[in-house]
Each structure stands twice: as structure tokens, then as C-alpha cells.
Amino acid sequence: MEAMRAVQAGPSRQSQVCVVVIGYDDAAHVTDAVRSALAQGPSVREVIAVDDGSADGSADLLERLALDEPRLRVVRRKANSGGCGSPRNDGIDATTAPYVMFVDSDDVLPPGAVDALLDAAAGRGAEVAAGLCVRRELPSGREVPWQPELYARAALVTVPSRRTRLVHDTLCVNKLYRTAFLREHGIRFPEGRFPYEDFVFTARVLAAGPRMALIADRVYVWHVRRSAERLSISLDRSGVDNWRARITAHALAYDTLLGAGEKRLARASRARFLDHALRMYARELDLRGPAYRREWWALTRAYLATFDAGDFALAPAPGRVIAQVVLASEKPCDLTRVKEVAARPARLRPPYARAADGTPVWSAGLPRVTLEHLLFRPVHLLPVAVDAELRPRARGTRLRLRLHELYGRMADAGPASVDAEFVSRRDGTAGLALTAEFLPDATGPAAPADLADEVGGSGPGPGSGPGSWTAETPVDLAALGSGTWDLRLRLRFHDGTVRETTAHASAGPGLLRRSVVPSRRHGVLLVQPYATRAGSLALRIAPGPRGVAAVLGRRLRRLLH
């Protein structure tokens, strides 16, 4: 019986899908994207490759490929549109297939993606089917799932507003759309140069109230090439115009949802802005110049001023706190501390100020930013602050951790011990696990040296409790081997609470610098503790004389060029 059903289902599934591949000056990758679409099998009726006015021979490559592949159709735009929306709209207009999906020229579809999405859409009578996208970092190959909570298991969503998490997945490429649905509702991408066009397109889809089938299958591989000569729009955040474009797209998506009567989805989209976009860009503020910071701050204040209390209430605490700081100060301030709160997990470093009535506040200079939630929030969700010092030495490397008090909450829970893991940046595996006990620090609750100038001199205030607890352990660097390692912590408290977090990289004299240390296994190790963009401690290691020479050689070439 099952075999008969499979035979009956087979022909009806054939020639149902159009895959639209868009590209501009990407001759190195576009044919791989097209081939990954063609390799999906007979379910794909056609692959429409839209070349957006390339000058690098991309279109000619596609034309030659089409000579041997009747399912491939090449559409050549005379001039570059400046964005991704116009070529995708060309694909929607050109297709004759009942379903359509989109692929960017530098990404690929994994085997079976189209069949999995088509089965879900056709089998559940859904206008949209969506699956898991993974971000693959190149050249390392490390993969990070995108919005995995949405795609943990198969589900049918008949009313999108009942699953507000849908607004968190702003991608269009991990989805299959019924062509007639898009055309009936006039759903298109913004034309021309409009960065973050996905945000608006996704909002227009949700505003139309489709039945959506969600599947747990991997259906899209998003290649992230941070070393590329021309970064993608989502990666090139160095200019403030990128932030302006992101705000514009977010605002239009919000207006689209609100205009369609989808208030719950509209508010959820603003909560996502606070928790994702605001935190991501805030982590990078201290890397930018003064002019960028001033303009970013002004743009953000103006946009946040359009939010109401309901918009803020839905967002997780870190995004709300950052927004409050921006709204409370006309000029950029406390950037180091803002970056720490923006980290994942969030960290709130001392000093811990209080208002005259004892209410926790951001600082004496910004008492309007209250932090009352810290008095009631469960300990396993608190933005605990841990400073880390890694000192590579010939006689032995040691890791020293200092956990700061947080308005008495740490003392109440009772710090007991910490599990520290060095996790490979390449594949996420643990290279070394350590455990150490926390002991009360004899010193008082002083502000760290690298925060003193940022927080305007606000002190911890009365009733702040013990200053900190310290834990120290030896580290066998040779056991880690070559690569880049992130430090992850699991704090254990006497009341049974466990809090997972990261550690702030202390920047005291001589702490964040390269060191060459002897090793019985490798002869020598080149060790580089450093702070990530979020301020967390990470570690690079190059073992052996050849490894040391290679690293120093690359550094010399960068200096010469």
C-alpha cells in the first residue's frame, strides 16, 4: 500500500516548482547555485537565472550552461538594479510553475530541499512552506542554524498571528511560495536599491494571512564569506547608511503588518528589532568613529521614539535596557557597558548604581534608566558579569575569573563553582574543560579600570553587597591545539541555580598580547588572548615553529601592505 501511494504521489509532484536564482558579478559562484537547483530533480520545472547587469561574464556562463540544460532559462537585465528585489520580481513575473522559491548566487540548495518543501505545501494545502536555513561560515565550514526554534518540528500554522515567532525569520530563501498566492495579493519585493528587502517581502506575505507549513528539514545553505572583496549587504555594516537602510526596512515591515490589522505581528517585529538588530549594531559601536556613533545614536533615538510601551514590553530585557539608554541620552555614552549588555548572553558590569530610594539604575548620570527587573528576575537569566584574565607563562598558564555582585543577587544564590570550556570557533566542539571553586574576593566592589571613564563615575551605591568572587585554574594550552577558541562558562550556585555565560576579556597591562611559550608537545606555542566584538575572551593558538612562523609571516605581510 505504501509503495502504491508513493507511485501515485510521484507524477503529481513533478514539474511543480520554479527556482529563481539571482546574481550580480558573481561568476565564481553562480553556476554552483544553479546546479544545486537543477540537481533537485523532476520536481523543478524550471530554473530562472536572473543576471542583474553583470560585467564579469556571469551571464555568458549561464547561457553556456543553458545550452545543455533545457530547464534553465536566463534572464538578462540591461542595467544593474542596485538590489535583490528587482531581479527576484523578474523571476516571479517570468515563472509558469505553480510554486516558486529563491536562491542567491553565492548560496546553494541542499539535496532534497525542494521535495521536502513541496511535499509540505501540497500535502497540507499551504500557500507557504518553510524549512531550516543554516549559515555556513567559509572557509571554516562551521554551520549555525538560523531561527532553529521555529523549525524544531513540523507544524501547520493556519493563522500567522498565532505564531508571532514567524516575524523573526525574515529570510525569503528558505521558503516555497504558491505563485498564484503571490500574484493574487500583489506581493512583491521593493524595487531598485533597497537593502533588507527580505524584511518587507516577508511582512507582506504574513500580512496576507497564508497557511504556512513548517518543516524541520534543512532546505537552504547560506554561505557567509566575511573575507570576500565585496561583502554582502547584511555583512557590510561599516557605514551608517547600512543602519539607516535597516531602520527603513524595519519601519516599512511594521507599517505593512499594522496596516493589515496584524497588530500582534507588528509589535513582535518591533520586539525583534530591539533584541536582534539593536543589540547586534550596539556591540560594534566602539569599533566605529565618532561621526558614525553620533549619527547612529541620532537615527536610533528618532526611530525608538515611535515605539510605545507595548512595543518595549514584548522585547527581552537587554534590548529594552539598551533602548532606554539611547532614549535617555542625547549623545553616545557608556559604549563599553552598552556593548556588554548587547552581548549574548548579556553582561551588566559594575558599578551598580541606585537611585535615592534604593531602586537599581543604569548610572548616577542616567537615573531614568531603571533596572528594577534585576531584583526579581531568576538568577539563571540575570546578566551576570565575569571578568577573565588569561596569562600565558613559560612556567604555566593560568585562567583567573572574577564574578561581580549584582545588587545582592549573587550573594543570595551563593557562588559555588564554575565550569569553563574552550570551544572551537571552527566546529563548536569543546577542546578543554576545567572546573574551579569560587572564593570570596577580599577586595571591595570597585569598578573595573576599563569602565571607569565610560560610566560617568557612578558608584555602586549603598547595600550593593560583597564585591566579587574569584576562581583560578591552570590551563593546558597544548591540549587545545591550533585554532581559535571561545571561552564559555557555566556558573554553579549553592541554591542549585546554573547560569551559562561568557567572560569579559580584561584589558589590563600585558593581558591581551601575543606570547610565545614553550611546549613539551610542540616545542613552542604562539598564544594570543583577545577580545571579540562583544568583548568576550577568546584565544588563538599556533603550535610549533612552523605555526609560529606562519602567523608572524601573515602579520608582517599585513604591515607591509
Side-chain angles (χ1 to χ4, degrees), residues 56 73 198 215 231 252 322 336 362 378 403 461 525 536 561:
D56 69 343
R73 204 158 28 118
D198 283 26
I215 62 175
L231 291 174
L252 184 51
I322 295 169
T336 299
W362 176 262
L403 169 65
L525 294 173
S536 304
H561 291 85

Side-chain angles (χ1 to χ4, degrees), residues 8 20 66 168 261 283 292 354 408 450 473 496 522:
Q8 291 172 346
V20 176
H168 288 245
R283 287 196 295 269
Y292 175 102
R354 293 180 185 264
D450 51 351
T473 179
H522 303 288

